[in-house]
C-alpha cells in the first residue's frame, strides 16, 4: 500500500545532488543516524555501481513506547543503491529491518536530471 509520495526539484547539477544524497550520513543535522556500514559494493558489467548498506539509528523514543512494542531503542535499515552514471540516475531503496513484524517502511528515492530545466 502506497501512502505517501512527493517530488522535489533541486536546482543544481545531477552530479552535485547525487553526491550529496550519497554522502547524507553521518550528518550532524540528523544525529539519529549513528552508523552506516557498507555490506557490499560492486561495479556491474553495465558500469552501474550497486551498494548495500545497513544504517543504524537511535530515535530517542520514550521509554514507555520502547516497552510497549518490546523493542531495542537501536533500529536498523537496509539501503540498496544503484548509480547509473551513463543515464544519470541514482536510485536508493530503503526498508526497515527493525519491527518488520509490526510495520514495513519501504522508501524509494530516485535522483535524475529534470527533463526540461537545465541543472535541475
Amino acid at each position: 500500500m502506497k501512502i505517501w509520495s512527493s517530488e522535489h526539484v533541486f536546482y543544481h547539477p545531477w552530479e552535485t545532488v547525487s553526491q550529496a544524497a550519497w554522502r547524507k550520513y553521518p550528518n550532524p543535522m540528523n544525529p539519529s543516524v549513528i552508523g552506516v556500514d557498507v555490506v557490499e559494493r560492486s561495479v556491474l558489467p553495465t558500469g552501474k555501481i550497486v551498494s548495500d548498506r545497513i544504517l543504524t539509528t537511535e530515535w530517542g523514543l520514550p521509554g514507555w513506547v520502547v516497552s510497549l512494542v518490546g523493542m531495542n531503542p537501536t533500529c536498523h535499515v537496509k539501503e540498496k543503491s544503484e548509480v547509473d552514471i551513463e543515464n544519470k540516475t541514482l536510485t536508493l531503496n530503503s526498508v526497515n529491518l527493525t519491527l518488520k513484524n509490526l510495520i514495513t517502511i519501504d522508501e524509494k528515492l530516485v535522483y535524475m536530471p529534470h527533463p526540461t530545466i537545465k541543472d535541475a
Side-chain angles (χ1 to χ4, degrees):
M1 165 182 12
K2 185 178 192 177
I3 295 175
W4 183 70
S5 177
S6 72
E7 183 176 316
H8 180 78
V9 176
F10 295 98
Y11 291 92
H12 300 281
W14 176 81
E15 293 79 5
T16 302
V17 174
S18 60
Q19 285 178 25
W22 186 262
R23 297 176 182 164
K24 65 183 170 186
Y25 303 119
N27 180 346
M29 299 301 288
N30 186 359
S32 62
V33 178
I34 60 172
V36 178
D37 296 300
V38 176
V39 177
E40 184 177 358
R41 182 169 290 148
S42 59
V43 179
L44 302 178
T46 60
K48 295 178 182 177
I49 304 166
V50 292
S51 291
D52 289 323
R53 304 192 302 180
I54 300 293
L55 291 87
T56 304
T57 65
E58 283 185 352
W59 289 98
L61 297 172
W64 67 269
V65 173
V66 173
S67 297
L68 180 68
V69 296
M71 65 176 279
N72 185 318
T74 302
C75 301
H76 301 283
V77 174
K78 179 182 178 188
E79 178 190 80
K80 183 172 186 74
S81 61
E82 181 178 284
V83 181
D84 183 344
I85 296 171
E86 183 177 328
N87 293 308
K88 291 190 174 183
T89 59
L90 167 60
T91 305
L92 300 168
N93 291 292
S94 301
V95 64
N96 61 302
L97 299 175
T98 305
L99 297 177
K100 277 191 89 138
N101 58 327
L102 298 175
I103 187 170
T104 299
I105 301 169
D106 194 0
E107 176 184 61
K108 180 177 183 178
L109 303 171
V110 179
Y111 298 92
M112 66 181 94
H114 193 279
T116 60
I117 302 171
K118 182 177 170 41
D119 286 340

